[in-house]
Amino acid sequence: MQSIQSTDYFVHFQDEAYKSLRNYLNENHHSKVFILVDTNTEKYCLSGFLDRAQIDENFEVIQIQAGEEFKHIVTCNYLWNTLSEKGADRKSLMINLGGGVITDMGGFVASTFKRGIKFINIPTTLLSMVDASVGGKTGVDLGVLKNQIGLFSNPEMVLVDMKFLKTVSDREMRSGLAEIIKYGFTFDKELWDTIKVFTKIDLDKINHLVHRSVEIKNEVVLKDLLENNLRKSLNFGHTIGHAIESYFLESEDKQNLTHGEAIAAGMVIELFYSSKVFDFPLSLTESLRSFVMDFYGPVELESKDFGAIVDLMKFDKKNVSGKVNFVLLDAIENCKLDIQLSPELIEEGLRYYQKGLA
Ligand SMILES: NC(=O)c1ccc[n+]([C@@H]2O[C@H](COP(=O)([O-])OP(=O)(O)OC[C@H]3O[C@@H](n4cnc5c(N)ncnc54)[C@H](O)[C@@H]3O)[C@@H](O)[C@H]2O)c1
Ligand SMILES: [Zn+2]
């Protein structure tokens, strides 16, 4: 599978990934290598990685608890302290072996430790392969507010080994698929055409879906690294989706959603706005809604939740001067950026998600 060149680093796939890693380690002398894992990637991914990577360097494993609720500055503090205690210096390398929480937070910790040490991302979930590990965004949450603290910082390389997906739960696989659906609507209709007939995730098709998704994300990032315009398209589904995700994270009586579950709901709602504002074909909005309801199951939104969800959108990073900005579509593969909506329409979208057109 063809490697993909990003700004100043490559994304390598499958066997090529390990060859590139060994070459890189041989060519660059690191004082120490730190492998960051969470409790699940230590259990399911670490030994396979060590077998396939054959690292000769002096390395140490640093482990943290799994879960979005640990993607937080308190965990960073623990990681900076651990690096310091274990003698990390500016010639040390961090390998982030895990899902989006590990690649986002590991990248942030590495980029800020002693003004920055080098890091490599090895994504182990579908979501982190197709989205989080590529593009240079690193960071952590602030309370329940998603990704508020962080910086743009590129890894030395990203290594995608799809063997890691074997142990990823169905729920987490569906979470990653939501980002591929996002690429389908915003940049490549064929992706949506492939996925819309899935009743479960078809592993035979996953290699192509992953490679194509990385290609799309990378093309967008290369054109607009700092998200001044085109890259905003990749936030389709995320304005309302992040607010729903945060709301479920902070509500004690609600079970946490995966990122993809929230974004799938967010895309349905934002397509509804697209149909209302730009005449985006309602039949396509309806087909996404029915796919999302069947495949992900409904997110239990009640009318009493709407106000708090709308309030949470005030913290969205795309907002400027207090205005909430949406990414909508006027056709498949055609995004409209920085769109503002009335509070009435925002609520109507939430009701549409809940009840359909009735
Ligand atoms: N930086 C970006 O551009 C970007 C883009 C999209 C999402 N994100 C971030 O990514 C995060 C979501 O990523 P995620 O869904 O990978 O979350 P995650 O890292 O929490 O992984 C999901 C779960 O799967 C487990 N896991 C990981 N690999 C496994 C494996 N191979 N086998 C079994 N279990 C495994 C993890 O321990 C965790 O419990 C969010 O914090 C989101 O904000 C960042
Ligand atoms: Zn996302």
Side-chain angles (χ1 to χ4, degrees):
M1 217 176 272
Q2 192 89 44
S3 298
I4 295 176
Q5 176 157 24
S6 191
T7 38
D8 50 356
Y9 65 95
F10 276 88
V11 184
H12 299 290
F13 295 83
Q14 313 290 63
D15 293 345
E16 183 58 36
Y18 294 102
K19 277 189 217 146
S20 306
L21 176 62
R22 277 190 294 271
N23 288 341
Y24 174 83
L25 292 173
N26 290 339
E27 284 163 15
N28 296 275
H29 295 284
H30 297 103
S31 52
K32 212 168 200 182
V33 176
F34 293 91
I35 306 176
L36 178 64
V37 291
D38 69 23
T39 33
N40 292 322
T41 61
E42 176 165 57
K43 184 166 166 196
Y44 297 115
C45 308
L46 184 60
S47 67
F49 168 69
L50 293 173
D51 278 353
R52 297 194 280 280
Q54 298 290 323
I55 296 183
D56 301 324
E57 285 44 28
N58 181 7
F59 73 85
E60 292 225 33
V61 175
I62 305 181
Q63 190 227 61
I64 58 171
Q65 293 289 312
E68 181 75 29
E69 56 277 35
F70 297 97
K71 187 179 152 180
H72 205 279
I73 205 74
V74 176
T75 315
C76 296
N77 206 28
Y78 164 77
L79 290 172
W80 288 315
N81 276 315
T82 307
L83 286 171
S84 186
E85 280 158 19
K86 290 181 184 289
D89 59 27
R90 293 176 90 176
K91 287 274 177 197
S92 299
L93 173 75
M94 183 116 132
I95 295 182
N96 299 318
L97 180 68
V101 168
I102 289 288
T103 55
D104 273 16
M105 185 159 51
F108 175 67
V109 165
S111 307
T112 45
F113 184 76
K114 300 202 175 178
R115 298 212 173 83
I117 63 171
K118 300 205 152 125
F119 66 98
I120 289 177
N121 283 341
I122 308 192
T124 60
T125 60
L126 183 58
L127 191 139
S128 57
M129 288 178 190
V130 300
D131 199 346
S133 65
V134 181
K137 285 189 184 175
T138 72
V140 293
D141 302 337
L142 181 64
V144 298
L145 301 175
K146 296 273 305 168
N147 306 329
Q148 300 276 303
I149 310 298
L151 54 108
F152 285 96
S153 178
N154 285 329
E156 293 297 286
M157 53 176 66
V158 178
L159 307 177
V160 178
D161 173 0
M162 291 182 222
K163 283 202 184 81
F164 291 127
L165 295 178
K166 283 186 191 153
T167 53
V168 173
S169 67
D170 290 347
R171 188 174 180 208
E172 294 298 346
M173 288 295 282
R174 287 195 294 272
S175 179
L177 196 76
E179 304 286 8
I180 310 181
I181 296 173
K182 173 186 81 179
Y183 297 128
F185 277 93
T186 50
F187 288 99
D188 185 355
K189 177 178 172 303
E190 269 182 34
L191 288 174
W192 170 236
D193 288 337
T194 306
I195 293 169
K196 70 185 181 194
V197 293
F198 280 10
T199 48
K200 61 176 188 44
I201 295 184
D202 190 340
L203 284 177
D204 292 342
K205 303 214 164 99
I206 213 75
N207 289 9
H208 168 71
L209 292 177
V210 169
H211 192 268
R212 180 71 190 121
S213 297
V214 174
E215 224 168 45
I216 293 172
K217 170 131 192 203
N218 189 51
E219 276 169 28
V220 173
V221 167
L222 286 178
K223 286 184 186 146
D224 177 23
L225 194 61
L226 299 180
E227 201 169 299
N228 292 315
N229 42 65
L230 185 72
R231 188 168 179 176
K232 289 182 187 166
S233 318
L234 298 182
N235 292 311
F236 168 59
H238 283 62
T239 306
I240 199 123
H242 269 158
I244 294 173
E245 189 179 2
S246 296
Y247 182 67
F248 276 64
L249 210 54
E250 76 178 6
S251 304
E252 281 176 7
D253 58 335
K254 305 235 186 237
Q255 205 209 358
N256 285 355
L257 299 173
T258 62
H259 180 68
E261 284 163 349
I263 278 11
M267 289 190 289
V268 170
I269 296 166
E270 293 181 9
L271 267 196
F272 175 80
Y273 302 146
S274 304
S275 292
K276 285 278 174 179
V277 178
F278 293 109
D279 285 334
F280 181 85
L282 192 58
S283 56
L284 266 175
T285 304
E286 286 276 280
S287 70
L288 180 69
R289 183 176 182 279
S290 93
F291 178 85
V292 166
M293 288 296 169
D294 289 349
F295 202 78
Y296 291 86
V299 169
E300 299 297 337
L301 286 182
E302 298 165 74
S303 306
K304 71 171 176 52
D305 306 326
F306 292 179
I309 291 171
V310 172
D311 278 349
L312 280 163
M313 284 192 292
K314 295 190 186 117
F315 299 98
D316 192 276
K317 293 188 300 307
K318 295 182 298 308
N319 297 349
V320 179
S321 311
K323 295 205 172 83
V324 179
N325 285 322
F326 288 84
V327 176
L328 303 186
L329 278 78
D330 68 353
I332 200 158
E333 299 180 3
N334 204 21
C335 293
K336 299 291 224 181
L337 306 176
D338 300 327
I339 306 298
Q340 287 141 29
L341 302 174
S342 70
E344 293 76 27
L345 184 58
I346 292 177
E347 289 221 1
E348 205 188 324
L350 288 159
R351 269 197 305 280
Y352 168 72
Y353 174 82
Q354 224 185 359
K355 299 204 169 117
L357 288 174

